[in-house]
Amino acid sequence: MHSKDQISHDAYQQTADWLLSQTKLRPQVAIICGSGLGMLADALKCQEVFPYSDIPGFPQSTVHGHAGRLVFGELKGKTCVCMQGRFHMYEGHSLCKTTFPVRVFKLLGVETVIVTNAAGSLADSFHAGDIMIIKDHVNFPGLSGLSPLSGANDDKFGPRFPPMSSVYDRELRRLVLDIAKQMGVAHFLHEGVYAMVGGPNFETVAEARLLHRLGVDAVGMSTAPEVLVASHCGLRVFGLSLITNKVVKSYDDSQSVKHDSVLEVAALRSHTLLQLISELVSRMDENNNTHT
Ligand code: HPA
């Protein structure tokens, strides 16, 4: 990373202070809405909405299906902040920019981050419309040296060499599995490994086969950088992938994935996803201090 891309602690603080001066709401939970999943923010009650273009220091979202608003409000009696529209590496943002909101959330007092994304499946048993609880990730940009944590470490946020072996909170994963069983949707819920690729292109057949052999269950173009930064600064993390398509793994398969069909599947499952996340938010503090 170029040092000119690095963001000073003051810059995060200034954005957080501005938001704190604009709203009395003090969120405990942040929800990052993936492609086509912006309706999660629409479910918040007593909303206070800030278009990204109005927030000092905030990056701007450029993707169709991503609204570009920060929505504060109540979900099941808990104060939340939702990113309706996230930032991707393929938009040309530096990784510091794509993860900028996460550190702002930390400074707002958020304790838990829920990330959602649209993803293609490699696992043979997954189908379009299934939901995957993210158990772990493979961060391909990170493995090749592209990390939002590159450059001088900001010790006020976290350590130079953060561990990543238990990032996705075990208790929250268990809780969502329980909730899914109670809701009768466990038959299309899985746990699995998410891989982030840079995009914006979808995968070649050879890449899909490689990911499959590596044990990746679902692939997408986001999430890992935000999770990395959230975990670095001590936030509790939970992640869901909505499987919008099966990744083509055969040269004989004439299907190809399109962004519009990703949005269509997202719309189809939006209600279930919202119910799962609402219940999670409602019950996440049942057994307090379950950080693992
Ligand atoms: N590949 C990468 N990203 C995606 C896909 C995919 O097949 N589907 C939705 N996001």
Side-chain angles (χ1 to χ4, degrees):
M1 190 184 62
H2 301 292
S3 54
K4 68 176 173 52
D5 291 333
Q6 261 198 310
I7 297 171
S8 69
H9 198 89
D10 279 355
Y12 296 109
Q13 192 67 58
Q14 276 166 20
T15 300
D17 288 347
W18 184 87
L19 287 164
L20 292 170
S21 73
Q22 300 292 310
T23 173
K24 292 202 163 41
L25 296 175
R26 297 292 178 259
Q28 304 155 254
V29 180
I31 303 172
I32 303 180
C33 305
S35 290
L37 300 173
M39 80 298 157
L40 295 172
D42 297 331
L44 297 189
K45 301 224 167 71
C46 311
Q47 289 188 7
E48 293 183 31
V49 178
F50 302 93
Y52 293 160
S53 53
D54 290 355
I55 307 173
F58 230 70
Q60 307 301 314
S61 173
T62 64
V63 189
H64 169 57
H66 286 253
R69 311 178 328 153
L70 212 53
V71 182
F72 289 71
E74 305 282 332
L75 188 63
K76 296 272 184 168
K78 288 217 174 66
T79 307
C80 298
V81 56
C82 273
M83 276 183 77
Q84 212 173 27
R86 64 142 59 83
F87 308 110
H88 304 85
M89 210 172 123
Y90 64 73
E91 291 173 86
H93 297 298
S94 70
L95 285 169
C96 288
K97 282 262 174 191
T98 66
T99 56
F100 181 86
V102 176
R103 286 185 164 177
V104 171
F105 295 153
K106 173 73 180 178
L107 297 174
L108 294 180
V110 163
E111 291 163 2
T112 304
V113 176
I114 299 173
V115 289
T116 64
N117 59 52
S121 68
L122 284 314
D124 294 318
S125 57
F126 291 12
H127 301 282
D130 287 358
I131 295 171
M132 185 183 86
I133 296 174
I134 305 176
K135 182 179 181 181
D136 200 355
H137 72 221
V138 179
N139 177 12
F140 277 102
L143 291 178
S144 59
L146 282 170
S147 168
L149 301 178
S150 291
N153 185 56
D154 188 337
D155 297 335
K156 287 187 197 147
F157 283 117
R160 168 76 291 187
F161 300 110
M164 285 293 142
S165 50
S166 56
V167 177
Y168 295 88
D169 188 271
R170 189 186 295 267
E171 277 306 317
L172 296 183
R173 287 190 279 127
R174 195 171 300 152
L175 178 57
V176 171
L177 282 171
D178 284 348
I179 292 168
K181 278 187 200 138
Q182 285 156 15
M183 280 169 55
V185 299
H187 56 289
F188 60 79
L189 191 84
H190 315 271
E191 256 198 336
V193 173
Y194 174 87
M196 180 198 173
V197 292
N201 57 288
F202 294 112
E203 295 66 39
T204 65
V205 170
E207 287 164 350
R209 290 179 174 185
L210 173 80
L211 292 169
H212 186 51
R213 287 197 181 172
L214 288 178
V216 169
D217 297 301
V219 58
M221 305 171 194
S222 67
T223 301
E226 293 136 329
V227 165
L228 207 68
V229 166
S231 177
H232 177 250
C233 66
L235 294 170
R236 195 180 190 195
V237 175
F238 176 78
L240 280 183
S241 291
L242 174 59
I243 304 302
T244 51
N245 57 284
K246 282 176 97 82
V247 180
V248 175
K249 297 200 293 271
S250 162
Y251 292 106
D252 297 328
D253 188 340
S254 59
Q255 298 214 336
S256 65
V257 55
K258 297 190 179 58
H259 185 59
D260 283 348
S261 57
V262 167
L263 298 182
E264 271 167 35
V265 176
L268 219 65
R269 273 287 184 252
S270 57
H271 183 66
T272 308
L273 216 85
L274 175 60
Q275 276 186 309
L276 280 172
I277 290 179
S278 303
E279 273 311 296
L280 167 64
V281 168
S282 160
R283 291 169 54 180
M284 64 188 354
D285 300 323
E286 271 174 8
N287 312 304
N288 228 338
N289 291 327
T290 48
H291 253 95
T292 50

